[in-house]
Amino acid sequence: MTTAERPKMASLLGEVLFEIDGQGPAPSKDFYQLIITQKEVIWRWWKISMRSEFRGIPPGEIKQSHDDFVQDSALQEHLGVVFGHGILEYTLSLCQGDFDYLERLPDQLLLKILSYVSVQDIGHLSQTSRRFLKLCNSEEFWKSNLSHFNVITEDMEKLGKAMGWKKLFILYYKQEQHCLAEEDEPNPVDSPTTL
């Protein structure tokens, strides 16, 4: 999909879609930056060396349209060496219009959405990305989930702060599951006896 064909939903994203910087792989000391905007890929580098022939070399910069980057195998190879295959694949996906809208939502909105996800699925979701791992393990998330049970009292507030909301939620959740299981078991007093 070319830049002109991108869905209108892409207009909801900020101008900068992705940015990463860091030092090149050893033994290089060079520093690199990759910025992907709505319209172009910007690749910058700073040569860092003690060797006299590299002193005074100005930083470099390449700006390409998304379509040009998709065709530039040399720059793709360089990006892959510096930042790894995963970043290269993600960059190509962005340049081809494959945006991960869910990853781009604000934390508060994602926390609201996550509150509707089952506890069992939270463990799976937390393994999908670093951001979801962080959100699914945040104290704010577990306090919010516990508040769905309408049980947060002043004492629970103190307990949540002392032992952590995730631990408190798990204890309460297990207790709730145990109570539900007991309700489902037939009561021996109510069941008919056979002689």
Side-chain angles (χ1 to χ4, degrees), residues 29-64:
K29 303 267 188 244
D30 298 348
F31 190 80
Y32 296 90
Q33 180 183 43
L34 170 69
I35 301 172
I36 303 167
T37 69
Q38 290 271 358
K39 297 180 182 174
E40 63 187 354
V41 174
I42 304 168
W43 178 252
R44 295 181 180 136
W45 64 92
W46 293 262
K47 194 80 173 152
I48 300 173
S49 175
M50 298 299 287
R51 297 174 62 180
S52 59
E53 65 262 25
F54 293 119
R55 288 191 188 138
I57 291 181
E61 178 179 82
I62 296 173
K63 289 185 177 182
Q64 293 184 337

Side-chain angles (χ1 to χ4, degrees), residues 84-142:
H85 184 71
I87 296 296
L88 173 60
E89 290 300 315
Y90 186 62
T91 301
L92 288 169
S93 292
L94 288 175
C95 288
Q96 293 167 346
D98 298 331
F99 301 121
D100 186 356
Y101 292 100
L102 190 60
E103 272 287 332
R104 300 181 175 286
L105 292 174
D107 284 353
Q108 290 305 105
L109 183 55
L110 278 175
L111 285 169
K112 183 68 174 170
I113 293 168
L114 291 177
S115 70
Y116 295 99
V117 176
S118 73
V119 175
Q120 293 80 8
D121 289 336
I122 290 299
H124 297 289
L125 183 62
S126 69
Q127 296 174 18
T128 61
S129 73
R130 288 185 185 125
R131 184 169 183 211
F132 281 122
L133 176 64
K134 180 182 164 198
L135 287 172
C136 291
N137 284 309
S138 71
E139 291 295 303
E140 184 179 1
F141 170 73
W142 292 103

